[in-house]
Amino acid sequence: MNDKTLQFFDTTGFQQDLIDWYHANKRDLPWRMDQDPYKVWVSEIMLQQTKVDTVIPYFYRFMEKFPTVYQLADADPQDVLKVWEGLGYYSRARNLQNAVQEVVDTYGGEIPANPDELGSLKGIGPYTKGAILSIAYNQPEPAVDGNVMRVLSRILKIEDDIAQQRTKKLVEAYVRELIPEDDPSSFNQAIMELGALVCTPKSPACLLCPVQEYCLAFAEGRENDLPVKSKAKKQNKIPYVSLLIKNENSAYIIEKRAEKGLLAGLWQFPMVPINEIGWDHLENWILSEYGLEIKVSEKKGELKHVFSHIVWELEIYGATTHQQYLTDERLRFVYKEELQAYPFPVSHQKMMTYIV
Ligand code: SF4
């Protein structure tokens, strides 16, 4: 790809063939029923790092519970986390609610169509901003994520590393030139859909591709070499002992995570960073950390929780305490039947299966 490529590129033919294919082949996704900016926004936030099939039931539940910005703005944050439970990347849910509160307070409940105002809302980065502006408000704005980068790297034979920020800027600049003024909504969705259904990461279906005749990578048989992407850093593994601590009344101890950082505001069973503490000091550490006297019993199982940059390796142990009252305000006693009322990360939900 060089600066002259678009000079010889049949932009009009490409737009037309891509958009025609999109209208004939697009999937019936619930957030595509209309161009409601709130639905576009919620769906785009849910779809970050998450597959479409996983998102669909979450999207329905979310819309049922919080059908407009007003219901979401007024909701208890723990209820929002509960509906998001299992979807991961929970800061998305918190940022969404904070941003929606700003929409209600500052913009009278209307999601701004002004790029600067929209982009200043919490959790709305350049991609989400472009998606809302183009899909809901028909503005010719690029919405470039990894999926779109892959497709355009191939079509325009861009050989720069897509992990680099400047490559993203380059692709955005190309989209600005390619996007049609009269139907930016269909164009951006069509590129996304092409990446999901045809120009997939491995083995793109070039023979079925509606824009094959425009694709510079295909013309040179290079579709499997692109995009170029430098390797991500290796995930850091952190071992924890996670404790199912119960008292004589069979009430279990759960802990609320801090309001900031990883899995903020969610609940979990207490976790001991065992490499730092050491097995010999486990019970003492619980006493000094939580003011809680416990006796560790049998091992119940092992689980992993994979985040984008780290992996928790969890060994699950049972434990007992004689205490009936808790002094640490992060902790709470709950009975087995009450656990479902609290939002937990997936690994800790799975831990509940060890409670008989
Ligand atoms: Fe992707 Fe192949 Fe179509 Fe090119 S021809 S856009 S590589 S599916």
Coordinates of all heavy atoms in Angstrom, one line a residue, residues 19 54 92 106 133 168 211 248 274 323 340 347:
I19 N -22.0 -2.7 0.1 CA -23.3 -2.3 0.7 C -24.4 -3.3 0.2 O -25.3 -3.7 1.0 CB -23.6 -0.8 0.6 CG1 -22.6 0.0 1.4 CG2 -25.1 -0.5 1.0 CD1 -22.7 1.5 1.3
T54 N -22.6 -14.6 22.3 CA -22.6 -14.5 23.7 C -23.4 -13.2 24.1 O -24.1 -13.2 25.1 CB -21.1 -14.3 24.3 OG1 -20.4 -15.4 23.8 CG2 -21.1 -14.3 25.8
R92 N -16.6 -1.9 31.8 CA -17.4 -1.4 30.7 C -18.8 -1.0 31.2 O -19.4 0.0 30.8 CB -17.6 -2.5 29.6 CG -16.3 -2.9 28.9 CD -16.6 -4.0 27.9 NE -17.0 -5.3 28.4 CZ -17.4 -6.3 27.7 NH1 -17.4 -6.2 26.4 NH2 -17.8 -7.4 28.3
T106 N -26.6 16.2 31.7 CA -26.0 17.3 30.9 C -26.7 17.5 29.6 O -26.8 18.6 29.1 CB -24.5 17.1 30.7 OG1 -23.9 16.7 31.9 CG2 -23.8 18.3 30.1
L133 N -21.9 7.4 15.9 CA -22.1 8.5 15.0 C -22.5 8.0 13.6 O -23.4 8.5 12.9 CB -20.9 9.4 14.9 CG -20.5 10.2 16.1 CD1 -19.2 11.0 15.9 CD2 -21.7 11.2 16.5
K168 N -3.5 2.3 13.1 CA -4.9 2.6 13.3 C -5.3 3.9 12.7 O -6.3 4.0 12.1 CB -5.2 2.5 14.8 CG -6.7 2.5 15.1 CD -7.0 2.2 16.5 CE -8.5 2.3 16.7 NZ -8.9 2.9 17.9
V211 N -16.2 -8.4 -2.4 CA -15.3 -7.4 -2.8 C -13.9 -7.9 -3.3 O -12.9 -7.2 -3.3 CB -15.1 -6.3 -1.7 CG1 -16.4 -5.5 -1.6 CG2 -14.7 -6.9 -0.4
E248 N -20.6 -22.0 61.9 CA -21.4 -23.1 62.3 C -22.8 -23.1 61.8 O -23.5 -24.1 61.9 CB -21.3 -23.2 63.9 CG -20.0 -23.7 64.4 CD -19.5 -23.0 65.7 OE1 -20.2 -22.0 66.1 OE2 -18.5 -23.4 66.2
I274 N -1.0 -16.7 47.3 CA -0.3 -17.7 48.1 C 1.2 -17.6 47.9 O 2.0 -17.9 48.8 CB -0.8 -19.1 47.8 CG1 -0.4 -20.1 48.9 CG2 -0.5 -19.6 46.4 CD1 -1.0 -19.8 50.2
Q323 N -16.5 -17.6 64.2 CA -17.0 -16.3 64.4 C -18.5 -16.2 63.8 O -18.8 -16.8 62.8 CB -16.1 -15.3 63.7 CG -14.8 -15.1 64.5 CD -13.9 -14.1 63.8 OE1 -12.7 -14.3 63.9 NE2 -14.4 -13.1 63.3
Q340 N -26.9 -16.0 44.9 CA -27.3 -15.5 43.5 C -27.7 -14.0 43.4 O -27.8 -13.5 42.3 CB -28.5 -16.4 43.0 CG -28.1 -17.8 42.5 CD -26.9 -17.8 41.6 OE1 -26.7 -16.8 40.8 NE2 -26.0 -18.8 41.6
S347 N -15.3 -17.0 37.5 CA -14.5 -18.0 38.3 C -15.1 -18.3 39.6 O -15.2 -19.4 40.1 CB -13.0 -17.6 38.4 OG -13.0 -16.3 38.9

